[in-house]
Structure formats: C-alpha cells, structure tokens
Amino acid sequence: MSLADIYSTDQPGLSFELFPPKTEAGEEALLKHVQRLLEFSPGYITCTYGAGGSTQNKTLDIIGRVHEMSGLPVATHLTCVGSTAEQLGEYLTEARKRGVDNVVALRGDPPKGEDSFTAVEGGFKYANELVEYIRRDFSDMGIAVAGYPEKHVEAPSLDVDLENLKRKVDAGADVVVTQLFYVNDDFFAFRDRCVALGINVPIVPGLLPVTNFAQIKRITSLCGAKLPGEFVSALEAAGDESDTQFQVGVDFATQQMAQLLEAGVPGVHLYVLNKSEAASGVLENLGWKAN
Ligand SMILES: NC(=O)C1=CN([C@@H]2O[C@H](COP(=O)(O)OP(=O)(O)OC[C@H]3O[C@@H](n4cnc5c(N)ncnc54)[C@H](O)[C@@H]3O)[C@@H](O)[C@H]2O)C=CC1
Ligand SMILES: Nc1nc(=O)c2c([nH]1)NC[C@@H]1CN(c3ccc(C(=O)N[C@@H](CCC(=O)O)C(=O)O)cc3)CN21
C-alpha cells in the first residue's frame, strides 16, 4: 500500500511519528507504546533521522522492528545532511530490504553546533533534489515531504517557501505532511494557497500534543510554531502540576484535531514523541474507532 492510497479512502488516514531512542531500555519502552497506539489502526508509522540535528543512528532498526510487529507500511525519514547521493542510495537499498517502502524526504536540520546547512560534495542542497533522486532510482518507494503552514524558518516569505514546496511535489512527492502548528487558520490558509498553486497531493496536518510546557517551549523554538495566547495562559495556570499540564495539552489537541477533521483534512499525522498517553487521550476523546 502506498502513502497516497492511505489517504484515498473515506476514513481520514492516521499516522504516527517516532524518533530513535538513545538506549536499549528506551527502545523496549517505545515498542510497548507503539503496541498501544496500534489499537487506533494507523495507516502507517514513521521514524525520524537526525531529528533536530542529532545523529542518524538506529532509524532503520526501529522502523524495521515496528514494521515486523505491526505489518503496517512504514516510512523512514531521510535527510541530505552529511551524505553523498551514493550513501543515500545505499541507505535506501537497505531500507527496502527491511520492508521500509516509504521515505519522508527532507533536507534536514544543520548538525548540532552549526547554524546553517551546508551540502556535502556529491550530496544534495535541497529536499527537492532528494525527491528527484528517489523518484529516479527508487521509483517504487512512497515519498512524503514537509510543508510549513507558518513558513520554514529560513524562507524569506511564505510565497517563496510555497514555490519550493511545489518543486518537491513536482519532483514526485506523494503527500505533504506539515510541520507542527497550533493555529488551524494558518493551516487552512496554507492549504488554500497550495491548492491555488496547483499542489494536488494530500496535505496532511502534523500535530504535536503538548504534554509539558518546558518541552513545548524547546520544540517550538526549534521550528518557530506560535502558541495561541489562551493556550499559553492555560498551561501557565497549571503551574508545576504535570497532570494538569498534560490535561490542558490533550484537551487543546482534541479541539484542534476535531476542527481539522470537520474541515475535511485527508488525515492527521501525530508527533507522538515515543509515548502513547497523549495521542491515546486525544483519539479516545474523539471516539476514534479502530477498524
Ligand atoms: N529530521 C526529521 O525527521 C525532520 C526534519 N524537519 C526539518 O525541516 C527543515 C527543512 O527540511 P525540508 O523541508 O525537507 O527542506 P527544504 O529543502 O524543502 O527547505 C529548506 C529551506 O530551503 C528553501 N528551499 C527549498 N528548496 C529550494 C530550492 N530548490 N531553491 C532555493 N531554496 C529552496 C525552503 O524554502 C526552506 O526555507 C529542516 O530543518 C528539516 O530537518 C522537519 C520534519 C522532520
Ligand atoms: N526543524 C525540525 N526538525 C525536526 O527534526 C522536526 C521538526 N522540525 N518538526 C517535526 C518533528 C518534531 N521532531 C522532534 C521533536 C522533538 C524531539 C525530542 O523531544 N527529542 C528529545 C529526546 C531525544 C532523545 O531522547 O533521543 C530531545 O531531548 O531532543 C524529537 C523530534 C522531529 N521533527
């Protein structure tokens, strides 16, 4: 089943994003959370690669294991950071061997300690070049690319950023998954502009349910997403009570996802951060039924 097929049914497609844990214990814990999340019948699961500038270890091991235990389609994120086209090709060959048939094709964040992206000799500078390469040499693989409802941090304007998104889709992406955001109107405006530009693949909102204030401040500073004032006030009012912060986050994400589904989005991608509690809370609140 290709990524595009997941969004071509009447049911909105659900996907979850994981990141490679640093320890063996983290890995076992993650697989338990995944087991729990499988009850919500996701269409596919993805795992990051060098997220936030970290090293690119273990992605294939994790996502290969998730594929084995779930039988679901899975996607590896892949970035252009530090690799030649040849090395990226070797990685994709190994991915395919392990049943990983889909790629979230990204340029990637600069490595930790660097503040701008530099392409390597024989590598790629932008994600559209990676998409083009995968389409040519791994033509059977499904490809997702990232879209930015609030514009990518480095882009001079939303218009320029949208032209670049169009390049990635024209190069052969099957689906656009968005960066996390908390203001649905930004997503709706983004979607309308994509459609006006002739981007006609599914545009899937990416949501990260906030579970604690410190974490979300760190993540939004990385990607530039704005948090609505009332949401920040509610989180602040929770003080240092972690249960209350969690509940505020789950309630917000429930409302946000409900409104997106109401507006007919093709699916929702949840950044679950290797945990099941927040995503389960949201999906249960929505009465999300397993097939
Ligand atoms: N590691 C992971 O799993 C994830 C990483 N990200 C991060 O999102 C960020 C960007 O990645 P992508 O969206 O894949 O990069 P991209 O290559 O599509 O865009 C990067 C920047 O370059 C501009 N740009 C794109 N193509 C261009 C072209 N042909 N000519 C001129 N300018 C162009 C864009 O407007 C944007 O500002 C990175 O920081 C990435 O790591 C996002 C989601 C997951
Ligand atoms: N610019 C950008 N880079 C990304 O890597 C990225 C995005 N945006 N947006 C969407 C998701 C969100 N991602 C995230 C967000 C947070 C963590 C995180 O909390 N990492 C922890 C734990 C690391 C660990 O234990 O291994 C951390 O402390 O950084 C990881 C990936 C990856 N994605």
Side-chain angles (χ1 to χ4, degrees):
M1 171 124 65
S2 84
L3 289 188
D5 295 336
I6 287 158
Y7 300 109
S8 62
T9 70
D10 293 341
Q11 273 277 93
L14 178 65
S15 53
F16 297 125
E17 177 170 319
L18 314 172
F19 62 82
K22 291 201 180 82
T23 63
E24 194 77 25
E27 191 168 328
E28 292 319 309
L30 168 62
L31 295 175
K32 291 208 177 83
H33 286 290
V34 169
Q35 200 67 54
R36 175 86 226 283
L37 290 169
L38 291 175
E39 290 169 22
F40 297 99
S41 300
Y44 66 100
I45 297 179
T46 81
C47 185
T48 65
Y49 175 98
S54 63
T55 50
Q56 313 136 3
N57 48 8
K58 298 239 272 195
T59 300
L60 277 188
D61 286 342
I62 297 295
I63 205 65
R65 281 186 77 179
V66 169
H67 176 59
E68 257 171 45
M69 73 186 254
S70 66
L72 285 174
V74 291
T76 175
H77 293 218
L78 183 60
T79 75
C80 308
V81 179
S83 301
T84 62
E86 195 183 343
Q87 289 165 330
L88 293 166
E90 285 162 11
Y91 181 89
L92 289 168
T93 302
E94 180 61 25
R96 217 163 37 182
K97 257 192 226 156
R98 300 198 200 187
V100 180
D101 293 334
N102 303 286
V103 186
V104 180
L106 301 153
R107 183 204 65 183
D109 293 310
K112 282 213 168 94
E114 293 176 31
D115 55 12
S116 69
F117 176 90
T118 323
V120 300
E121 183 81 33
F124 302 123
K125 197 160 178 226
Y126 295 111
N128 62 293
E129 299 167 18
L130 177 60
V131 174
E132 200 175 305
Y133 170 77
I134 300 169
R135 250 317 144 251
R136 194 189 66 217
D137 286 9
F138 297 84
S139 57
D140 55 325
M141 294 185 96
I143 305 175
V145 292
Y148 300 87
E150 298 175 72
K151 156 184 121 47
H152 184 252
V153 283
E154 293 165 31
S157 69
L158 192 52
D159 278 332
V160 169
D161 204 27
L162 283 167
E163 289 295 336
N164 290 325
L165 177 60
K166 175 92 164 49
R167 262 187 255 278
K168 297 193 279 193
V169 173
D170 289 346
D174 298 299
V175 41
V176 173
V177 177
T178 78
Q179 177 63 289
L180 56 100
F181 62 91
Y182 297 91
V183 179
N184 282 350
D185 283 347
D186 289 339
F187 173 81
F188 296 134
F190 168 79
R191 181 181 67 171
D192 291 348
R193 290 169 82 157
C194 287
V195 171
L197 266 183
I199 294 174
N200 53 17
V201 297
I203 299 170
V204 179
L207 305 186
L208 191 157
V210 172
T211 54
N212 80 68
F213 202 17
Q215 170 201 49
I216 197 59
K217 275 197 267 196
R218 186 169 49 73
I219 294 173
T220 54
S221 72
L222 177 83
C223 67
K226 62 177 183 277
L227 291 164
E230 324 84 82
F231 186 31
V232 172
S233 308
L235 284 167
E236 276 167 354
D240 48 15
E241 285 179 36
S242 54
D243 290 358
T244 313
Q245 286 189 14
F246 178 89
Q247 208 44 56
V248 168
V250 167
D251 288 347
F252 184 90
T254 302
Q255 302 296 326
Q256 191 184 6
M257 183 161 164
Q259 193 190 37
L260 291 163
L261 291 168
E262 185 70 26
V265 294
V268 173
H269 182 71
L270 290 179
Y271 297 102
V272 302
L273 297 178
N274 292 3
K275 297 278 201 310
S276 53
E277 294 87 351
S280 300
V282 171
L283 294 165
E284 276 163 13
N285 282 346
L286 292 170
W288 189 276
K289 287 277 174 291
N291 291 321

Short mmCIF file of all heavy atoms in Angstrom, two decimals, residues 1-4 60 63 74-78 88-105 130-144 171-175:
data_model
loop_
_atom_site.label_atom_id
_atom_site.label_comp_id
_atom_site.label_asym_id
_atom_site.label_seq_id
_atom_site.Cartn_x
_atom_site.Cartn_y
_atom_site.Cartn_z
N MET A 1 0.86 -1.21 0.00
CA MET A 1 0.00 0.00 0.00
C MET A 1 0.89 1.25 0.00
O MET A 1 1.78 1.40 0.81
CB MET A 1 -0.88 -0.03 1.25
CG MET A 1 -1.64 1.24 1.47
SD MET A 1 -3.41 1.13 1.62
CE MET A 1 -3.68 0.22 3.09
N SER A 2 0.64 2.15 -0.94
CA SER A 2 1.48 3.35 -0.99
C SER A 2 0.88 4.43 -0.09
O SER A 2 -0.28 4.37 0.31
CB SER A 2 1.58 3.86 -2.42
OG SER A 2 0.46 4.67 -2.71
N LEU A 3 1.68 5.43 0.21
CA LEU A 3 1.22 6.51 1.08
C LEU A 3 -0.02 7.18 0.52
O LEU A 3 -0.95 7.52 1.26
CB LEU A 3 2.32 7.56 1.26
CG LEU A 3 3.52 7.16 2.09
CD1 LEU A 3 4.41 8.36 2.32
CD2 LEU A 3 3.08 6.58 3.42
N ALA A 4 -0.06 7.38 -0.78
CA ALA A 4 -1.20 8.07 -1.39
C ALA A 4 -2.48 7.26 -1.17
O ALA A 4 -3.55 7.83 -0.93
CB ALA A 4 -0.95 8.30 -2.86
N LEU A 60 16.64 2.78 10.99
CA LEU A 60 16.18 1.59 10.27
C LEU A 60 15.88 0.44 11.21
O LEU A 60 14.94 -0.33 10.98
CB LEU A 60 17.21 1.15 9.23
CG LEU A 60 17.16 1.87 7.89
CD1 LEU A 60 18.11 1.20 6.91
CD2 LEU A 60 15.76 1.92 7.33
N ILE A 63 12.38 1.34 12.84
CA ILE A 63 11.22 1.30 11.95
C ILE A 63 11.04 -0.10 11.34
O ILE A 63 9.92 -0.53 11.08
CB ILE A 63 11.28 2.45 10.91
CG1 ILE A 63 9.87 2.79 10.43
CG2 ILE A 63 12.23 2.19 9.77
CD1 ILE A 63 8.94 3.34 11.46
N VAL A 74 5.54 1.41 6.63
CA VAL A 74 6.33 2.32 7.47
C VAL A 74 7.17 3.22 6.57
O VAL A 74 7.42 2.90 5.40
CB VAL A 74 7.26 1.55 8.45
CG1 VAL A 74 6.46 0.83 9.53
CG2 VAL A 74 8.18 0.58 7.70
N ALA A 75 7.60 4.34 7.15
CA ALA A 75 8.45 5.27 6.41
C ALA A 75 9.66 5.64 7.24
O ALA A 75 9.54 5.86 8.44
CB ALA A 75 7.67 6.54 6.07
N THR A 76 10.82 5.69 6.60
CA THR A 76 12.00 6.25 7.26
C THR A 76 12.12 7.71 6.83
O THR A 76 11.95 8.03 5.65
CB THR A 76 13.29 5.50 6.88
OG1 THR A 76 14.41 6.19 7.47
CG2 THR A 76 13.52 5.41 5.38
N HIS A 77 12.39 8.59 7.79
CA HIS A 77 12.77 9.94 7.39
C HIS A 77 14.18 9.82 6.84
O HIS A 77 14.94 8.94 7.26
CB HIS A 77 12.76 10.89 8.58
CG HIS A 77 11.39 11.13 9.13
ND1 HIS A 77 10.98 12.34 9.60
CD2 HIS A 77 10.34 10.29 9.29
CE1 HIS A 77 9.72 12.25 10.01
NE2 HIS A 77 9.31 11.02 9.84
N LEU A 78 14.53 10.69 5.91
CA LEU A 78 15.88 10.69 5.37
C LEU A 78 16.25 12.13 5.05
O LEU A 78 15.45 12.86 4.45
CB LEU A 78 15.94 9.82 4.10
CG LEU A 78 17.32 9.67 3.46
CD1 LEU A 78 18.31 9.02 4.42
CD2 LEU A 78 17.23 8.83 2.18
N LEU A 88 23.21 7.88 0.29
CA LEU A 88 21.75 7.89 0.46
C LEU A 88 21.15 6.69 -0.26
O LEU A 88 20.23 6.04 0.23
CB LEU A 88 21.16 9.20 -0.09
CG LEU A 88 21.55 10.45 0.72
CD1 LEU A 88 21.23 11.73 -0.07
CD2 LEU A 88 20.85 10.48 2.08
N GLY A 89 21.71 6.37 -1.41
CA GLY A 89 21.24 5.21 -2.18
C GLY A 89 21.47 3.91 -1.43
O GLY A 89 20.60 3.02 -1.42
N GLU A 90 22.63 3.80 -0.78
CA GLU A 90 22.92 2.58 0.00
C GLU A 90 21.92 2.45 1.14
O GLU A 90 21.42 1.36 1.44
CB GLU A 90 24.35 2.62 0.55
CG GLU A 90 25.39 2.35 -0.52
CD GLU A 90 26.80 2.80 -0.13
OE1 GLU A 90 27.03 3.14 1.06
OE2 GLU A 90 27.67 2.81 -1.02
N TYR A 91 21.62 3.56 1.77
CA TYR A 91 20.66 3.55 2.88
C TYR A 91 19.28 3.10 2.38
O TYR A 91 18.62 2.27 3.00
CB TYR A 91 20.58 4.96 3.49
CG TYR A 91 19.62 5.07 4.66
CD1 TYR A 91 20.06 4.83 5.96
CD2 TYR A 91 18.28 5.38 4.47
CE1 TYR A 91 19.19 4.92 7.04
CE2 TYR A 91 17.39 5.47 5.53
CZ TYR A 91 17.86 5.23 6.82
OH TYR A 91 16.98 5.32 7.88
N LEU A 92 18.87 3.62 1.24
CA LEU A 92 17.54 3.27 0.71
C LEU A 92 17.47 1.81 0.28
O LEU A 92 16.43 1.17 0.42
CB LEU A 92 17.18 4.22 -0.45
CG LEU A 92 16.89 5.66 0.00
CD1 LEU A 92 16.85 6.60 -1.21
CD2 LEU A 92 15.58 5.73 0.78
N THR A 93 18.58 1.31 -0.23
CA THR A 93 18.62 -0.11 -0.62
C THR A 93 18.41 -0.98 0.61
O THR A 93 17.64 -1.94 0.60
CB THR A 93 19.97 -0.43 -1.29
OG1 THR A 93 20.12 0.42 -2.42
CG2 THR A 93 20.06 -1.88 -1.73
N GLU A 94 19.09 -0.61 1.69
CA GLU A 94 18.96 -1.36 2.95
C GLU A 94 17.53 -1.20 3.52
O GLU A 94 16.94 -2.17 4.00
CB GLU A 94 20.00 -0.84 3.95
CG GLU A 94 19.99 -1.51 5.31
CD GLU A 94 20.27 -3.02 5.27
OE1 GLU A 94 20.93 -3.49 4.31
OE2 GLU A 94 19.82 -3.72 6.20
N ALA A 95 16.98 0.00 3.40
CA ALA A 95 15.61 0.24 3.89
C ALA A 95 14.64 -0.70 3.19
O ALA A 95 13.84 -1.40 3.83
CB ALA A 95 15.20 1.69 3.65
N ARG A 96 14.73 -0.75 1.89
CA ARG A 96 13.81 -1.57 1.10
C ARG A 96 13.92 -3.04 1.48
O ARG A 96 12.93 -3.74 1.57
CB ARG A 96 14.10 -1.35 -0.38
CG ARG A 96 12.84 -1.36 -1.18
CD ARG A 96 12.96 -0.77 -2.54
NE ARG A 96 14.21 -1.05 -3.20
CZ ARG A 96 14.51 -0.56 -4.41
NH1 ARG A 96 13.65 0.21 -5.05
NH2 ARG A 96 15.65 -0.84 -4.98
N LYS A 97 15.17 -3.49 1.73
CA LYS A 97 15.40 -4.88 2.15
C LYS A 97 14.64 -5.21 3.42
O LYS A 97 14.25 -6.34 3.66
CB LYS A 97 16.90 -5.09 2.42
CG LYS A 97 17.62 -5.81 1.33
CD LYS A 97 19.01 -6.21 1.82
CE LYS A 97 20.03 -5.87 0.75
NZ LYS A 97 21.37 -5.67 1.26
N ARG A 98 14.50 -4.20 4.29
CA ARG A 98 13.84 -4.42 5.57
C ARG A 98 12.34 -4.13 5.52
O ARG A 98 11.69 -4.03 6.55
CB ARG A 98 14.47 -3.54 6.64
CG ARG A 98 15.94 -3.82 6.82
CD ARG A 98 16.38 -3.28 8.13
NE ARG A 98 17.82 -3.10 8.18
CZ ARG A 98 18.47 -2.76 9.28
NH1 ARG A 98 17.82 -2.56 10.40
NH2 ARG A 98 19.78 -2.61 9.26
N GLY A 99 11.82 -3.96 4.32
CA GLY A 99 10.37 -3.75 4.19
C GLY A 99 9.93 -2.31 4.41
O GLY A 99 8.75 -2.03 4.59
N VAL A 100 10.91 -1.40 4.44
CA VAL A 100 10.59 0.02 4.62
C VAL A 100 10.40 0.62 3.22
O VAL A 100 11.37 0.88 2.52
CB VAL A 100 11.72 0.74 5.39
CG1 VAL A 100 11.41 2.22 5.59
CG2 VAL A 100 11.97 0.05 6.74
N ASP A 101 9.15 0.81 2.83
CA ASP A 101 8.84 1.15 1.43
C ASP A 101 8.58 2.63 1.19
O ASP A 101 8.23 3.02 0.08
CB ASP A 101 7.59 0.38 0.98
CG ASP A 101 7.85 -1.11 0.91
OD1 ASP A 101 9.01 -1.50 0.71
OD2 ASP A 101 6.89 -1.89 1.06
N ASN A 102 8.65 3.42 2.25
CA ASN A 102 8.32 4.84 2.13
C ASN A 102 9.38 5.70 2.79
O ASN A 102 10.02 5.28 3.75
CB ASN A 102 6.97 5.11 2.79
CG ASN A 102 5.87 4.25 2.18
OD1 ASN A 102 5.43 4.50 1.07
ND2 ASN A 102 5.47 3.19 2.88
N VAL A 103 9.50 6.92 2.26
CA VAL A 103 10.53 7.85 2.75
C VAL A 103 9.91 9.22 3.02
O VAL A 103 9.13 9.71 2.19
CB VAL A 103 11.64 8.06 1.68
CG1 VAL A 103 12.78 8.91 2.24
CG2 VAL A 103 12.16 6.75 1.16
N VAL A 104 10.22 9.80 4.17
CA VAL A 104 9.92 11.22 4.39
C VAL A 104 11.19 11.94 3.97
O VAL A 104 12.22 11.85 4.66
CB VAL A 104 9.54 11.50 5.86
CG1 VAL A 104 9.25 12.99 6.05
CG2 VAL A 104 8.35 10.66 6.30
N ALA A 105 11.16 12.57 2.81
CA ALA A 105 12.38 13.12 2.20
C ALA A 105 12.58 14.57 2.62
O ALA A 105 11.75 15.44 2.33
CB ALA A 105 12.29 13.02 0.68
N LEU A 130 16.56 15.56 -3.45
CA LEU A 130 16.46 14.20 -2.88
C LEU A 130 15.22 13.49 -3.42
O LEU A 130 15.27 12.31 -3.78
CB LEU A 130 16.41 14.29 -1.34
CG LEU A 130 16.23 12.97 -0.59
CD1 LEU A 130 17.38 11.99 -0.88
CD2 LEU A 130 16.13 13.21 0.93
N VAL A 131 14.11 14.22 -3.52
CA VAL A 131 12.87 13.63 -4.05
C VAL A 131 13.10 13.16 -5.49
O VAL A 131 12.75 12.03 -5.86
CB VAL A 131 11.70 14.64 -4.00
CG1 VAL A 131 10.46 14.07 -4.68
CG2 VAL A 131 11.39 15.04 -2.55
N GLU A 132 13.73 14.02 -6.27
CA GLU A 132 14.00 13.69 -7.67
C GLU A 132 14.85 12.42 -7.78
O GLU A 132 14.59 11.52 -8.58
CB GLU A 132 14.75 14.86 -8.29
CG GLU A 132 14.73 14.94 -9.78
CD GLU A 132 15.41 16.25 -10.20
OE1 GLU A 132 15.01 17.33 -9.73
OE2 GLU A 132 16.38 16.15 -10.98
N TYR A 133 15.85 12.34 -6.93
CA TYR A 133 16.75 11.18 -6.91
C TYR A 133 16.00 9.90 -6.54
O TYR A 133 16.15 8.85 -7.20
CB TYR A 133 17.89 11.46 -5.92
CG TYR A 133 18.76 10.26 -5.62
CD1 TYR A 133 19.71 9.84 -6.54
CD2 TYR A 133 18.61 9.55 -4.43
CE1 TYR A 133 20.51 8.73 -6.27
CE2 TYR A 133 19.40 8.45 -4.15
CZ TYR A 133 20.35 8.04 -5.08
OH TYR A 133 21.12 6.94 -4.81
N ILE A 134 15.16 9.98 -5.49
CA ILE A 134 14.41 8.78 -5.06
C ILE A 134 13.45 8.36 -6.18
O ILE A 134 13.35 7.17 -6.51
CB ILE A 134 13.63 9.03 -3.75
CG1 ILE A 134 14.58 9.42 -2.61
CG2 ILE A 134 12.80 7.79 -3.37
CD1 ILE A 134 13.88 9.93 -1.35
N ARG A 135 12.78 9.32 -6.78
CA ARG A 135 11.83 9.00 -7.86
C ARG A 135 12.54 8.30 -9.03
O ARG A 135 11.99 7.41 -9.65
CB ARG A 135 11.18 10.27 -8.38
CG ARG A 135 9.78 10.50 -8.12
CD ARG A 135 8.85 9.31 -8.30
NE ARG A 135 7.80 9.35 -7.29
CZ ARG A 135 7.70 8.51 -6.24
NH1 ARG A 135 8.55 7.52 -6.06
NH2 ARG A 135 6.72 8.65 -5.39
N ARG A 136 13.77 8.69 -9.28
CA ARG A 136 14.50 8.11 -10.41
C ARG A 136 15.06 6.73 -10.06
O ARG A 136 14.84 5.77 -10.79
CB ARG A 136 15.63 9.05 -10.83
CG ARG A 136 16.24 8.70 -12.18
CD ARG A 136 17.48 9.51 -12.47
NE ARG A 136 18.53 9.14 -11.52
CZ ARG A 136 19.40 10.01 -11.01
NH1 ARG A 136 19.37 11.28 -11.34
NH2 ARG A 136 20.33 9.59 -10.16
N ASP A 137 15.73 6.61 -8.91
CA ASP A 137 16.44 5.37 -8.61
C ASP A 137 15.69 4.40 -7.71
O ASP A 137 16.09 3.24 -7.58
CB ASP A 137 17.81 5.69 -7.99
CG ASP A 137 18.79 6.21 -9.03
OD1 ASP A 137 18.36 6.48 -10.16
OD2 ASP A 137 19.99 6.34 -8.72
N PHE A 138 14.66 4.87 -7.04
CA PHE A 138 13.86 4.01 -6.15
C PHE A 138 12.39 4.29 -6.45
O PHE A 138 11.62 4.69 -5.57
CB PHE A 138 14.20 4.28 -4.68
CG PHE A 138 15.63 3.94 -4.34
CD1 PHE A 138 16.65 4.85 -4.57
CD2 PHE A 138 15.97 2.68 -3.84
CE1 PHE A 138 17.98 4.54 -4.30
CE2 PHE A 138 17.29 2.36 -3.55
CZ PHE A 138 18.29 3.29 -3.78
N SER A 139 12.02 4.09 -7.71
CA SER A 139 10.75 4.61 -8.19
C SER A 139 9.53 4.00 -7.51
O SER A 139 8.46 4.59 -7.51
CB SER A 139 10.65 4.42 -9.70
OG SER A 139 10.80 3.04 -9.98
N ASP A 140 9.73 2.82 -6.89
CA ASP A 140 8.58 2.17 -6.24
C ASP A 140 8.33 2.70 -4.82
O ASP A 140 7.35 2.33 -4.19
CB ASP A 140 8.82 0.65 -6.19
CG ASP A 140 10.16 0.32 -5.52
OD1 ASP A 140 11.13 1.10 -5.69
OD2 ASP A 140 10.23 -0.70 -4.80
N MET A 141 9.22 3.52 -4.30
CA MET A 141 9.04 3.96 -2.91
C MET A 141 8.08 5.14 -2.81
O MET A 141 8.07 6.03 -3.67
CB MET A 141 10.39 4.32 -2.28
CG MET A 141 11.29 3.08 -2.13
SD MET A 141 12.84 3.41 -1.28
CE MET A 141 12.42 2.93 0.41
N GLY A 142 7.26 5.14 -1.75
CA GLY A 142 6.36 6.27 -1.49
C GLY A 142 7.17 7.42 -0.89
O GLY A 142 8.12 7.18 -0.16
N ILE A 143 6.80 8.65 -1.22
CA ILE A 143 7.56 9.81 -0.73
C ILE A 143 6.63 10.85 -0.09
O ILE A 143 5.67 11.31 -0.71
CB ILE A 143 8.33 10.51 -1.88
CG1 ILE A 143 9.25 9.52 -2.62
CG2 ILE A 143 9.14 11.70 -1.34
CD1 ILE A 143 9.96 10.12 -3.83
N ALA A 144 6.96 11.21 1.16
CA ALA A 144 6.30 12.34 1.82
C ALA A 144 7.31 13.48 1.93
O ALA A 144 8.51 13.22 2.08
CB ALA A 144 5.81 11.94 3.21
N ALA A 171 8.60 17.18 -8.22
CA ALA A 171 9.67 16.18 -8.35
C ALA A 171 9.16 14.77 -8.04
O ALA A 171 9.87 13.79 -8.26
CB ALA A 171 10.83 16.54 -7.43
N GLY A 172 7.94 14.67 -7.49
CA GLY A 172 7.37 13.32 -7.33
C GLY A 172 6.90 12.95 -5.94
O GLY A 172 6.64 11.77 -5.68
N ALA A 173 6.73 13.92 -5.03
CA ALA A 173 6.22 13.56 -3.69
C ALA A 173 4.77 13.12 -3.79
O ALA A 173 3.99 13.66 -4.58
CB ALA A 173 6.34 14.76 -2.75
N ASP A 174 4.39 12.15 -2.97
CA ASP A 174 3.02 11.63 -2.96
C ASP A 174 2.13 12.37 -1.98
O ASP A 174 0.92 12.36 -2.10
CB ASP A 174 3.01 10.14 -2.54
CG ASP A 174 3.80 9.28 -3.50
OD1 ASP A 174 3.42 9.24 -4.68
OD2 ASP A 174 4.80 8.68 -3.07
N VAL A 175 2.74 12.96 -0.96
CA VAL A 175 1.96 13.59 0.09
C VAL A 175 2.80 14.66 0.78
O VAL A 175 4.03 14.56 0.84
CB VAL A 175 1.40 12.51 1.08
CG1 VAL A 175 2.40 11.45 1.38
CG2 VAL A 175 0.92 13.11 2.39
#
